Amino acid sequence: GQQVMQIPQYQHVQEGEDFTTYCNSSTTLSNIQWYKQRPGGHPVFLIQLVKSGEVKKQKRLTFQFGEAKKNSSLHITATQTTDVGTYFCAPGGYGGATNKLIFGTGTLLAVQP
Amino acid sequence: DTGVSQDPRHKITKRGQNVTFRCDPISEHNRLYWYRQTLGQGPEFLTYFQNEAQLEKSRLLSDRFSAERPKGSFSTLEIQRTEQGDSAMYLCASSLDRDRINYGYTFGSGTRLTVV
């Protein structure tokens, strides 16, 4: 199955600093989704990327899908304490058909006020 | 619709007992998934349904685990003869998949199972 490596596993930032997490695959992905899980909560869907080189923004969050569709990143500008949580990338199925999402270990973000 | 509902929220059981969890997905969603999550790990895929058909079951899942989705609505996940290693958060999610496009999963709050 499709496996992705997400780095870093943990990041501690001061409030106001930027944060980036990277998702890397050895195989070409048909699509990738990003989720956020607050401590004690459940994963919440953030976005889906499908096209090569795609960039999408949600307020302070910028999501990018690599040209080769083998990597993706999530960048948060000027972090806030509300950004605390674990961010997961999850590639979808094969060949354009999404069967199931496979989650990696995620990146845990801690924000110090 | 209030989202994906899971019941119970917490379950403590003795080793060897059977447990059953229920998930009520978003009514407009045609797919339903079960995942398991342990501390510090991402959700691990268990099985999924499209309507009432169980389309895939993880090879990691032992025969003690079974899931159903009668009539394509709610789903149940049963674990027989529970073991301590089954202790985890069991997450249910649903999604709308149409024309080979998935519109993101909506997760429930999960059922936390503790096997003592």
Side-chain angles (χ1 to χ4, degrees):
Chain A
Q2 292 180 336
Q3 299 290 330
V4 292
M5 178 80 71
Q6 199 170 345
I7 54 172
Q9 286 193 312
Y10 173 76
Q11 183 87 55
H12 180 208
V13 300
Q14 292 286 125
E15 189 172 21
E17 291 181 339
D18 292 356
F19 160 76
T20 304
T21 175
Y22 300 90
C23 194
N24 299 307
S25 170
S26 57
T27 59
T28 302
L29 306 173
S30 60
N31 61 79
I32 194 162
Q33 297 185 8
W34 285 89
Y35 290 76
K36 176 184 178 181
Q37 186 172 21
R38 294 182 184 273
H42 56 273
V44 174
F45 174 73
L46 295 177
I47 211 156
Q48 175 165 248
L49 304 172
V50 178
K51 299 177 183 176
S52 168
E54 190 169 17
V55 178
K56 287 189 176 180
K57 293 190 176 185
Q58 290 180 350
K59 297 183 180 179
R60 295 177 296 103
L61 277 60
T62 301
F63 303 85
Q64 195 160 1
F65 204 7
E67 293 290 342
K69 299 182 74 173
K70 289 186 175 182
N71 55 69
S72 181
S73 64
L74 158 59
H75 179 81
I76 303 179
T77 303
T79 54
Q80 300 175 358
T81 55
T82 52
D83 295 325
V84 164
T86 301
Y87 292 85
F88 292 101
C89 64
Y94 307 93
T98 301
N99 292 321
K100 63 182 183 291
L101 295 179
I102 302 297
F103 289 82
T105 52
T107 295
L108 175 60
L109 173 63
V111 180
Q112 185 164 353
Chain B
D1 201 333
T2 56
V4 177
S5 300
Q6 291 189 246
D7 183 70
R9 291 293 302 273
H10 303 275
K11 179 70 177 179
I12 300 175
T13 190
K14 291 184 177 179
R15 189 173 47 188
Q17 297 293 306
N18 299 343
V19 293
T20 300
F21 310 141
R22 177 181 170 122
C23 172
D24 287 89
I26 292 175
S27 55
E28 297 82 12
H29 287 180
N30 55 356
R31 286 198 175 184
L32 185 149
Y33 309 82
W34 285 98
Y35 283 81
R36 175 172 63 189
Q37 187 175 29
T38 53
L39 195 64
Q41 300 298 313
E44 176 191 19
F45 171 76
L46 297 179
T47 188
Y48 86 96
F49 295 82
Q50 176 149 323
N51 301 314
E52 66 274 11
Q54 187 173 17
L55 296 188
E56 189 171 346
K57 184 176 176 180
S58 170
R59 286 171 289 180
L60 300 175
L61 215 57
S62 77
D63 291 341
R64 297 184 297 106
F65 288 71
S66 62
E68 294 183 344
R69 193 183 182 196
K71 302 177 183 179
S73 55
F74 71 91
S75 176
T76 57
L77 177 68
E78 182 184 18
I79 308 174
Q80 297 181 329
R81 304 181 302 282
T82 52
E83 302 172 356
Q84 287 189 318
D86 297 331
S87 296
M89 176 72 84
Y90 289 83
L91 293 164
C92 175
S94 68
S95 72
L96 176 64
D97 283 55
R98 184 172 290 162
D99 298 329
R100 297 166 71 89
I101 296 174
N102 175 269
Y103 295 90
Y105 289 16
T106 300
F107 280 87
S109 298
T111 294
R112 181 166 296 284
L113 173 66
T114 303
V115 181
V116 298

